[in-house]
Amino acid sequence: MGATSNASPSPPLNSALSSFPSLKALKFTTKQQELLIRVSALALIYVLAFVVRLFSVLRYESMIHEFDPYFNYRTTLFLTKNGFSEFWNWFDSESWYPLGRIIGGTLYPGLMVTAALIHRILHFLSFAVHIREVCVLTAPFFASNTTLVAYFFGKEIWDSGAGLVAAALIAICPGYISRSVAGSYDNEGVAIFALLLTFYLFVKAVNTGSLAWSLASAFGYFYMVSAWGGYVFIINLVPLYVLVLLVTGRYSMRLYVAYNCMYVVGMLLAMQIRFVGFQHVQSGEHMAAMGVFFLLQVFYFLDWVKYILNDIKLFHSFLRITLTCAITVGVLALSIGTASGYISPWTGRFYSLLDPTYAKDHIPIIASVSEHQPTAWSSFMFDFHILLFLFPAGLYFCFKRLSDATIFVVMYGLTSMYFAGVMVRLILVAAPAMCLVSSIAVSATVKNLSSLVRTKSKSSQGSNKPLSGSKAAAKASADQSLPFQKNGAIALLLGALYLLCRYAIHCTWVTSEAYSSPSIVLAARGHGGGRVIFDDYREAYYWLRQNTPPDAKVMSWWDYGYQITAMGNRTVIVDNNTWNNTHIATVGRAMSSYEHEAYEIMLSLDVNYVLVVFGGVTGYSSDDINKFLWMVRIGGGVFPVIKEPDYLVNGEFRVDKGAAPKMLNCLMYKLCYYRFGELTTEYGKPPGYDRVRGVEIGNKDIKLEYLEEAFTTSNWIVRIYKVKPPKNRW
Amino acid sequence: MAKPTNDAQLLIQSLRKAYAATPTNLKIIDLYVVYAVATALIQVGYMAIVGSFPFNSFLSGVLSCVGTAVLAVCLRIQVNKDNKEFKDLPPERAFADFILCNLVLHLVIMNFLG
């Protein structure tokens, strides 16, 4: 068939080649052409994945976004300045005053070590880049690497066409872009690469049964553990997969080799990270892996005994004895461990994934984070677009051609989709699975359709040549079964192309509009349509850095802690790590008490400055007044003297004249609205009109007794107050 | 009762007979596995007597035994001529993989021993 297609166009080809003498040497075979197309497509996808994430760098500047990345940036800076040993043993007294924080033992070092390594390599090659540039561009670089891993993974589960489609889909998938845009220097940027790499290496190990590949997957798992707390997903999905294979009877020797090597070496490597510590043998979340490990030993031992004993009856009695012993020992160990508390139960963060209402009732801090809320359908459509309906199609194709690898991808897809439905943040973990499964659908459909298009032309050429009569008759009858088959196939192919183009347009639009804002610099459209930039946050932090004594302590709500330490370089009371609920509740209590009560709390914590965020002048809605009820709830969770109904009127949260008296006189209200009653914010509205809440504030005549205003930024977004020292006693 | 003990004796005898038929290299690997598991059990017994204070040392000791036992079983699977899945794998390659994995395992154990 290859000869027929080459024979007819060869005269024009030769003439074309003769006109370009240099190309004569480049007469590629079909295989080489295919390789060239694949390699160039992959190279383009690699560059695309990097470039699509650069919107915010082009629009604003190369800076770190949001809150958590500032902590990562500060630790990376420390690592590059002081070396790994200092970093690993770092005790930080600049946060959580007066407790301090053992940073070396409470972070996941993968991201920082990776960025520091890239920085060192670049310096070795004499590119003198600042560490901030490396940090900003780490996430897009690893997103490009993820597309490569997705290509190899797709090739492993289906074929190289599916791999290419998977790489292309994941390069621009908004679910992944949202956490890996340039400037978003967060653990997930590296962790998704590590996750996909671990899964790919494990599937490769199961397919080949080689110890070398399992060792590689153990190293991939180690990288994942060092990068993100979400490694718990891997250590539970892989045993579940092994269990499913055992139950469906698809087990083989390769599975034993792959899982055992990965589990033992991976567990040992993971325990080298101090933050993880001994959790692999003590925590309930990791027990599934250990249970499956022991189950595998028993299972394969029984299999081996059955093989060497040719007698069925004897084997049954042996089976009975062993099973009774194994099950008794297992149940006994598990119950003693759980009852004595040695095996700790599932922690709140992961338990709320199984029971979504748990955090709301018991742990308000986890419930208050906006990323932990359940996902709405609009988020799914926004982040996945056509992948939403390509996913079930891909599942169908996977079930049609079941193999060990496709079973794994199906399980990964289903479990990650369940978790994505429970928590918005986990859409990120589902994104690679969606892309992989959808790529199978796209690749298989396009392959079938284009083979339909090509069979028609081949059989029309074949009918020109003299064939045996029955063969020609059979082919002719097949041609006539669906007369418009070729046209239908071409139409469907064009439809598929249209869908993929819409996907690309949607993804680019979403990236540009929704996921490229730095959160620390706000932009809006002014009256004339020009862009107005609000750089208040950095203005306030640099004022702190330049105008306060170096040992000043700043109290603010925990959202801003990381940014204050990183940019303002001052000690904070609480920050985003939220490891000590009582300390945060103390701050929450101070913010929601009357000024004299709050003053005593602030004196006990040695606070010098208080920082609040206020959006009433600009209409910025993520300010502290909107977060105030969470401060009340968290404070009230530890100190019963703070009661939420005191601040509400008929269950409603109001700041105008009809607000609760405790609300109108609490510290947060006073600090946000101090001198606001004299300001006219909008044309035609009375002075003191709050643009976010949409009402005129209730208490305009605010006098501060124990604090004085130190600094208010140009758009009133950040306000800093100095705590007056206690009066001298005469 | 007579029947179960008869059954048990029959079971043990047939197991012994079947096992005697395995080739010598596999028996050597089995001996190594038994030795590693025995060492692990001795360590657990010692921990039960003395207490588990440097827990990382205890874990690294036990896991090195368990790890090397498991790797030896993997080697046995790959070298066994009766396994159809691994008939293309040269035994030298299997042994080299075994050595590599053991090397990584013991390096990590050295770091973890404390």
Side-chain angles (χ1 to χ4, degrees), chain A residues 586-613:
Chain A
T586 315
V587 171
R589 179 184 174 189
M591 295 295 195
S592 32
S593 317
Y594 294 118
E595 197 184 342
H596 56 275
E597 298 165 348
Y599 185 60
E600 284 179 34
I601 299 176
M602 288 194 285
L603 279 184
S604 76
L605 288 174
D606 281 351
V607 176
N608 303 114
Y609 290 89
V610 182
L611 186 145
V612 294
V613 169

PDB file of all heavy atoms in Angstrom, chain A residues 586-613:
ATOM      1  N   THR A 586      -6.307  34.295  69.565  1.00  0.00           N
ATOM      2  CA  THR A 586      -5.984  35.469  70.386  1.00  0.00           C
ATOM      3  C   THR A 586      -6.030  36.729  69.546  1.00  0.00           C
ATOM      4  O   THR A 586      -6.602  37.758  69.967  1.00  0.00           O
ATOM      5  CB  THR A 586      -4.582  35.323  71.000  1.00  0.00           C
ATOM      6  OG1 THR A 586      -4.433  34.024  71.521  1.00  0.00           O
ATOM      7  CG2 THR A 586      -4.368  36.344  72.087  1.00  0.00           C
ATOM      8  N   VAL A 587      -5.452  36.668  68.363  1.00  0.00           N
ATOM      9  CA  VAL A 587      -5.491  37.832  67.479  1.00  0.00           C
ATOM     10  C   VAL A 587      -6.928  38.121  67.071  1.00  0.00           C
ATOM     11  O   VAL A 587      -7.372  39.277  67.071  1.00  0.00           O
ATOM     12  CB  VAL A 587      -4.612  37.590  66.234  1.00  0.00           C
ATOM     13  CG1 VAL A 587      -4.808  38.682  65.221  1.00  0.00           C
ATOM     14  CG2 VAL A 587      -3.161  37.500  66.633  1.00  0.00           C
ATOM     15  N   GLY A 588      -7.684  37.090  66.768  1.00  0.00           N
ATOM     16  CA  GLY A 588      -9.086  37.285  66.392  1.00  0.00           C
ATOM     17  C   GLY A 588      -9.876  37.918  67.527  1.00  0.00           C
ATOM     18  O   GLY A 588     -10.725  38.795  67.323  1.00  0.00           O
ATOM     19  N   ARG A 589      -9.564  37.477  68.741  1.00  0.00           N
ATOM     20  CA  ARG A 589     -10.253  38.057  69.897  1.00  0.00           C
ATOM     21  C   ARG A 589      -9.889  39.526  70.031  1.00  0.00           C
ATOM     22  O   ARG A 589     -10.754  40.365  70.323  1.00  0.00           O
ATOM     23  CB  ARG A 589      -9.846  37.283  71.140  1.00  0.00           C
ATOM     24  CG  ARG A 589     -10.472  37.822  72.387  1.00  0.00           C
ATOM     25  CD  ARG A 589      -9.972  37.081  73.588  1.00  0.00           C
ATOM     26  NE  ARG A 589     -10.481  37.709  74.796  1.00  0.00           N
ATOM     27  CZ  ARG A 589     -10.077  37.378  76.001  1.00  0.00           C
ATOM     28  NH1 ARG A 589      -9.179  36.426  76.149  1.00  0.00           N
ATOM     29  NH2 ARG A 589     -10.562  37.988  77.062  1.00  0.00           N
ATOM     30  N   ALA A 590      -8.584  39.841  69.823  1.00  0.00           N
ATOM     31  CA  ALA A 590      -8.178  41.248  69.944  1.00  0.00           C
ATOM     32  C   ALA A 590      -8.895  42.102  68.915  1.00  0.00           C
ATOM     33  O   ALA A 590      -9.348  43.213  69.210  1.00  0.00           O
ATOM     34  CB  ALA A 590      -6.663  41.354  69.779  1.00  0.00           C
ATOM     35  N   MET A 591      -9.010  41.600  67.686  1.00  0.00           N
ATOM     36  CA  MET A 591      -9.650  42.383  66.633  1.00  0.00           C
ATOM     37  C   MET A 591     -11.129  42.595  66.899  1.00  0.00           C
ATOM     38  O   MET A 591     -11.716  43.579  66.442  1.00  0.00           O
ATOM     39  CB  MET A 591      -9.489  41.694  65.272  1.00  0.00           C
ATOM     40  CG  MET A 591      -8.083  41.595  64.773  1.00  0.00           C
ATOM     41  SD  MET A 591      -7.400  43.216  64.458  1.00  0.00           S
ATOM     42  CE  MET A 591      -5.980  42.798  63.486  1.00  0.00           C
ATOM     43  N   SER A 592     -11.760  41.670  67.614  1.00  0.00           N
ATOM     44  CA  SER A 592     -13.204  41.813  67.796  1.00  0.00           C
ATOM     45  C   SER A 592     -13.613  42.304  69.176  1.00  0.00           C
ATOM     46  O   SER A 592     -14.793  42.348  69.479  1.00  0.00           O
ATOM     47  CB  SER A 592     -13.922  40.496  67.484  1.00  0.00           C
ATOM     48  OG  SER A 592     -13.137  39.401  67.798  1.00  0.00           O
ATOM     49  N   SER A 593     -12.655  42.709  69.996  1.00  0.00           N
ATOM     50  CA  SER A 593     -13.027  43.245  71.316  1.00  0.00           C
ATOM     51  C   SER A 593     -13.089  44.757  71.278  1.00  0.00           C
ATOM     52  O   SER A 593     -12.668  45.393  70.329  1.00  0.00           O
ATOM     53  CB  SER A 593     -12.003  42.846  72.364  1.00  0.00           C
ATOM     54  OG  SER A 593     -11.623  41.535  72.228  1.00  0.00           O
ATOM     55  N   TYR A 594     -13.582  45.348  72.374  1.00  0.00           N
ATOM     56  CA  TYR A 594     -13.524  46.794  72.531  1.00  0.00           C
ATOM     57  C   TYR A 594     -12.071  47.221  72.664  1.00  0.00           C
ATOM     58  O   TYR A 594     -11.200  46.418  72.966  1.00  0.00           O
ATOM     59  CB  TYR A 594     -14.298  47.221  73.779  1.00  0.00           C
ATOM     60  CG  TYR A 594     -15.767  46.972  73.689  1.00  0.00           C
ATOM     61  CD1 TYR A 594     -16.406  46.111  74.571  1.00  0.00           C
ATOM     62  CD2 TYR A 594     -16.526  47.587  72.694  1.00  0.00           C
ATOM     63  CE1 TYR A 594     -17.758  45.887  74.481  1.00  0.00           C
ATOM     64  CE2 TYR A 594     -17.879  47.364  72.603  1.00  0.00           C
ATOM     65  CZ  TYR A 594     -18.487  46.517  73.499  1.00  0.00           C
ATOM     66  OH  TYR A 594     -19.829  46.289  73.402  1.00  0.00           O
ATOM     67  N   GLU A 595     -11.828  48.538  72.450  1.00  0.00           N
ATOM     68  CA  GLU A 595     -10.444  48.982  72.318  1.00  0.00           C
ATOM     69  C   GLU A 595      -9.645  48.736  73.600  1.00  0.00           C
ATOM     70  O   GLU A 595      -8.477  48.344  73.534  1.00  0.00           O
ATOM     71  CB  GLU A 595     -10.416  50.469  71.965  1.00  0.00           C
ATOM     72  CG  GLU A 595      -9.072  50.897  71.419  1.00  0.00           C
ATOM     73  CD  GLU A 595      -9.011  52.395  71.171  1.00  0.00           C
ATOM     74  OE1 GLU A 595     -10.094  53.001  71.104  1.00  0.00           O
ATOM     75  OE2 GLU A 595      -7.911  52.929  71.058  1.00  0.00           O
ATOM     76  N   HIS A 596     -10.232  48.943  74.793  1.00  0.00           N
ATOM     77  CA  HIS A 596      -9.422  48.786  75.998  1.00  0.00           C
ATOM     78  C   HIS A 596      -9.077  47.321  76.246  1.00  0.00           C
ATOM     79  O   HIS A 596      -7.982  46.990  76.681  1.00  0.00           O
ATOM     80  CB  HIS A 596     -10.126  49.412  77.207  1.00  0.00           C
ATOM     81  CG  HIS A 596     -11.511  48.865  77.434  1.00  0.00           C
ATOM     82  ND1 HIS A 596     -12.613  49.350  76.798  1.00  0.00           N
ATOM     83  CD2 HIS A 596     -11.941  47.847  78.208  1.00  0.00           C
ATOM     84  CE1 HIS A 596     -13.680  48.684  77.167  1.00  0.00           C
ATOM     85  NE2 HIS A 596     -13.296  47.759  78.029  1.00  0.00           N
ATOM     86  N   GLU A 597     -10.019  46.397  75.919  1.00  0.00           N
ATOM     87  CA  GLU A 597      -9.691  44.966  76.093  1.00  0.00           C
ATOM     88  C   GLU A 597      -8.618  44.553  75.115  1.00  0.00           C
ATOM     89  O   GLU A 597      -7.671  43.835  75.454  1.00  0.00           O
ATOM     90  CB  GLU A 597     -10.934  44.099  75.846  1.00  0.00           C
ATOM     91  CG  GLU A 597     -12.053  44.360  76.794  1.00  0.00           C
ATOM     92  CD  GLU A 597     -13.364  43.745  76.282  1.00  0.00           C
ATOM     93  OE1 GLU A 597     -13.411  43.326  75.099  1.00  0.00           O
ATOM     94  OE2 GLU A 597     -14.305  43.703  77.050  1.00  0.00           O
ATOM     95  N   ALA A 598      -8.766  45.054  73.869  1.00  0.00           N
ATOM     96  CA  ALA A 598      -7.783  44.686  72.848  1.00  0.00           C
ATOM     97  C   ALA A 598      -6.410  45.224  73.215  1.00  0.00           C
ATOM     98  O   ALA A 598      -5.390  44.587  72.945  1.00  0.00           O
ATOM     99  CB  ALA A 598      -8.220  45.233  71.497  1.00  0.00           C
ATOM    100  N   TYR A 599      -6.384  46.428  73.856  1.00  0.00           N
ATOM    101  CA  TYR A 599      -5.092  47.018  74.231  1.00  0.00           C
ATOM    102  C   TYR A 599      -4.348  46.108  75.188  1.00  0.00           C
ATOM    103  O   TYR A 599      -3.121  45.936  75.077  1.00  0.00           O
ATOM    104  CB  TYR A 599      -5.337  48.398  74.847  1.00  0.00           C
ATOM    105  CG  TYR A 599      -4.078  49.149  75.173  1.00  0.00           C
ATOM    106  CD1 TYR A 599      -3.169  49.478  74.180  1.00  0.00           C
ATOM    107  CD2 TYR A 599      -3.802  49.525  76.486  1.00  0.00           C
ATOM    108  CE1 TYR A 599      -2.021  50.174  74.480  1.00  0.00           C
ATOM    109  CE2 TYR A 599      -2.647  50.218  76.786  1.00  0.00           C
ATOM    110  CZ  TYR A 599      -1.766  50.545  75.782  1.00  0.00           C
ATOM    111  OH  TYR A 599      -0.619  51.234  76.089  1.00  0.00           O
ATOM    112  N   GLU A 600      -5.083  45.503  76.127  1.00  0.00           N
ATOM    113  CA  GLU A 600      -4.390  44.608  77.068  1.00  0.00           C
ATOM    114  C   GLU A 600      -3.816  43.394  76.356  1.00  0.00           C
ATOM    115  O   GLU A 600      -2.695  42.969  76.638  1.00  0.00           O
ATOM    116  CB  GLU A 600      -5.371  44.164  78.160  1.00  0.00           C
ATOM    117  CG  GLU A 600      -5.589  45.260  79.146  1.00  0.00           C
ATOM    118  CD  GLU A 600      -6.575  44.864  80.209  1.00  0.00           C
ATOM    119  OE1 GLU A 600      -6.594  43.667  80.587  1.00  0.00           O
ATOM    120  OE2 GLU A 600      -7.310  45.739  80.650  1.00  0.00           O
ATOM    121  N   ILE A 601      -4.600  42.836  75.417  1.00  0.00           N
ATOM    122  CA  ILE A 601      -4.082  41.674  74.680  1.00  0.00           C
ATOM    123  C   ILE A 601      -2.853  42.075  73.878  1.00  0.00           C
ATOM    124  O   ILE A 601      -1.833  41.361  73.835  1.00  0.00           O
ATOM    125  CB  ILE A 601      -5.163  41.102  73.747  1.00  0.00           C
ATOM    126  CG1 ILE A 601      -6.356  40.650  74.562  1.00  0.00           C
ATOM    127  CG2 ILE A 601      -4.622  39.946  72.924  1.00  0.00           C
ATOM    128  CD1 ILE A 601      -7.504  40.171  73.725  1.00  0.00           C
ATOM    129  N   MET A 602      -2.913  43.268  73.265  1.00  0.00           N
ATOM    130  CA  MET A 602      -1.780  43.687  72.437  1.00  0.00           C
ATOM    131  C   MET A 602      -0.539  43.940  73.287  1.00  0.00           C
ATOM    132  O   MET A 602       0.579  43.664  72.870  1.00  0.00           O
ATOM    133  CB  MET A 602      -2.162  44.947  71.648  1.00  0.00           C
ATOM    134  CG  MET A 602      -3.135  44.628  70.542  1.00  0.00           C
ATOM    135  SD  MET A 602      -3.320  45.934  69.361  1.00  0.00           S
ATOM    136  CE  MET A 602      -4.308  47.081  70.266  1.00  0.00           C
ATOM    137  N   LEU A 603      -0.736  44.486  74.507  1.00  0.00           N
ATOM    138  CA  LEU A 603       0.425  44.683  75.377  1.00  0.00           C
ATOM    139  C   LEU A 603       1.029  43.349  75.770  1.00  0.00           C
ATOM    140  O   LEU A 603       2.250  43.200  75.836  1.00  0.00           O
ATOM    141  CB  LEU A 603       0.012  45.452  76.638  1.00  0.00           C
ATOM    142  CG  LEU A 603      -0.095  46.958  76.498  1.00  0.00           C
ATOM    143  CD1 LEU A 603      -0.411  47.556  77.854  1.00  0.00           C
ATOM    144  CD2 LEU A 603       1.181  47.554  75.949  1.00  0.00           C
ATOM    145  N   SER A 604       0.162  42.349  76.001  1.00  0.00           N
ATOM    146  CA  SER A 604       0.698  41.049  76.417  1.00  0.00           C
ATOM    147  C   SER A 604       1.478  40.387  75.295  1.00  0.00           C
ATOM    148  O   SER A 604       2.364  39.574  75.536  1.00  0.00           O
ATOM    149  CB  SER A 604      -0.432  40.120  76.869  1.00  0.00           C
ATOM    150  OG  SER A 604      -1.110  39.627  75.742  1.00  0.00           O
ATOM    151  N   LEU A 605       1.167  40.736  74.041  1.00  0.00           N
ATOM    152  CA  LEU A 605       1.892  40.146  72.914  1.00  0.00           C
ATOM    153  C   LEU A 605       3.018  41.044  72.421  1.00  0.00           C
ATOM    154  O   LEU A 605       3.642  40.732  71.413  1.00  0.00           O
ATOM    155  CB  LEU A 605       0.915  39.903  71.750  1.00  0.00           C
ATOM    156  CG  LEU A 605      -0.079  38.766  71.924  1.00  0.00           C
ATOM    157  CD1 LEU A 605      -1.057  38.747  70.765  1.00  0.00           C
ATOM    158  CD2 LEU A 605       0.643  37.432  71.974  1.00  0.00           C
ATOM    159  N   ASP A 606       3.264  42.187  73.096  1.00  0.00           N
ATOM    160  CA  ASP A 606       4.330  43.105  72.694  1.00  0.00           C
ATOM    161  C   ASP A 606       4.103  43.705  71.321  1.00  0.00           C
ATOM    162  O   ASP A 606       5.057  44.018  70.616  1.00  0.00           O
ATOM    163  CB  ASP A 606       5.695  42.379  72.623  1.00  0.00           C
ATOM    164  CG  ASP A 606       6.307  42.198  73.991  1.00  0.00           C
ATOM    165  OD1 ASP A 606       5.774  42.773  74.946  1.00  0.00           O
ATOM    166  OD2 ASP A 606       7.296  41.465  74.062  1.00  0.00           O
ATOM    167  N   VAL A 607       2.855  43.912  70.935  1.00  0.00           N
ATOM    168  CA  VAL A 607       2.575  44.431  69.597  1.00  0.00           C
ATOM    169  C   VAL A 607       2.935  45.906  69.524  1.00  0.00           C
ATOM    170  O   VAL A 607       2.637  46.677  70.439  1.00  0.00           O
ATOM    171  CB  VAL A 607       1.074  44.256  69.276  1.00  0.00           C
ATOM    172  CG1 VAL A 607       0.746  44.880  67.951  1.00  0.00           C
ATOM    173  CG2 VAL A 607       0.727  42.793  69.262  1.00  0.00           C
ATOM    174  N   ASN A 608       3.613  46.323  68.441  1.00  0.00           N
ATOM    175  CA  ASN A 608       3.912  47.730  68.239  1.00  0.00           C
ATOM    176  C   ASN A 608       3.039  48.355  67.170  1.00  0.00           C
ATOM    177  O   ASN A 608       2.747  49.541  67.236  1.00  0.00           O
ATOM    178  CB  ASN A 608       5.378  47.922  67.835  1.00  0.00           C
ATOM    179  CG  ASN A 608       6.306  47.338  68.859  1.00  0.00           C
ATOM    180  OD1 ASN A 608       7.007  46.378  68.583  1.00  0.00           O
ATOM    181  ND2 ASN A 608       6.295  47.905  70.055  1.00  0.00           N
ATOM    182  N   TYR A 609       2.684  47.591  66.154  1.00  0.00           N
ATOM    183  CA  TYR A 609       1.907  48.121  65.040  1.00  0.00           C
ATOM    184  C   TYR A 609       0.772  47.162  64.704  1.00  0.00           C
ATOM    185  O   TYR A 609       0.908  45.960  64.832  1.00  0.00           O
ATOM    186  CB  TYR A 609       2.785  48.319  63.794  1.00  0.00           C
ATOM    187  CG  TYR A 609       3.767  49.447  63.936  1.00  0.00           C
ATOM    188  CD1 TYR A 609       5.028  49.225  64.464  1.00  0.00           C
ATOM    189  CD2 TYR A 609       3.424  50.738  63.563  1.00  0.00           C
ATOM    190  CE1 TYR A 609       5.923  50.258  64.625  1.00  0.00           C
ATOM    191  CE2 TYR A 609       4.307  51.777  63.718  1.00  0.00           C
ATOM    192  CZ  TYR A 609       5.559  51.540  64.255  1.00  0.00           C
ATOM    193  OH  TYR A 609       6.443  52.565  64.408  1.00  0.00           O
ATOM    194  N   VAL A 610      -0.333  47.729  64.256  1.00  0.00           N
ATOM    195  CA  VAL A 610      -1.448  46.897  63.799  1.00  0.00           C
ATOM    196  C   VAL A 610      -1.706  47.250  62.345  1.00  0.00           C
ATOM    197  O   VAL A 610      -1.695  48.422  61.970  1.00  0.00           O
ATOM    198  CB  VAL A 610      -2.718  47.165  64.632  1.00  0.00           C
ATOM    199  CG1 VAL A 610      -3.835  46.263  64.164  1.00  0.00           C
ATOM    200  CG2 VAL A 610      -2.445  46.950  66.097  1.00  0.00           C
ATOM    201  N   LEU A 611      -1.937  46.250  61.531  1.00  0.00           N
ATOM    202  CA  LEU A 611      -2.157  46.473  60.100  1.00  0.00           C
ATOM    203  C   LEU A 611      -3.527  45.906  59.716  1.00  0.00           C
ATOM    204  O   LEU A 611      -3.831  44.760  60.041  1.00  0.00           O
ATOM    205  CB  LEU A 611      -1.056  45.751  59.318  1.00  0.00           C
ATOM    206  CG  LEU A 611      -0.986  45.936  57.807  1.00  0.00           C
ATOM    207  CD1 LEU A 611       0.455  45.945  57.357  1.00  0.00           C
ATOM    208  CD2 LEU A 611      -1.710  44.843  57.075  1.00  0.00           C
ATOM    209  N   VAL A 612      -4.350  46.744  59.087  1.00  0.00           N
ATOM    210  CA  VAL A 612      -5.637  46.243  58.605  1.00  0.00           C
ATOM    211  C   VAL A 612      -5.768  46.573  57.125  1.00  0.00           C
ATOM    212  O   VAL A 612      -5.141  47.517  56.629  1.00  0.00           O
ATOM    213  CB  VAL A 612      -6.830  46.835  59.380  1.00  0.00           C
ATOM    214  CG1 VAL A 612      -6.816  46.378  60.803  1.00  0.00           C
ATOM    215  CG2 VAL A 612      -6.841  48.330  59.282  1.00  0.00           C
ATOM    216  N   VAL A 613      -6.611  45.807  56.453  1.00  0.00           N
ATOM    217  CA  VAL A 613      -6.856  46.020  55.028  1.00  0.00           C
ATOM    218  C   VAL A 613      -8.298  46.472  54.878  1.00  0.00           C
ATOM    219  O   VAL A 613      -9.212  45.850  55.418  1.00  0.00           O
ATOM    220  CB  VAL A 613      -6.593  44.721  54.253  1.00  0.00           C
ATOM    221  CG1 VAL A 613      -7.096  44.822  52.833  1.00  0.00           C
ATOM    222  CG2 VAL A 613      -5.128  44.409  54.265  1.00  0.00           C
TER     223      VAL A 613
END
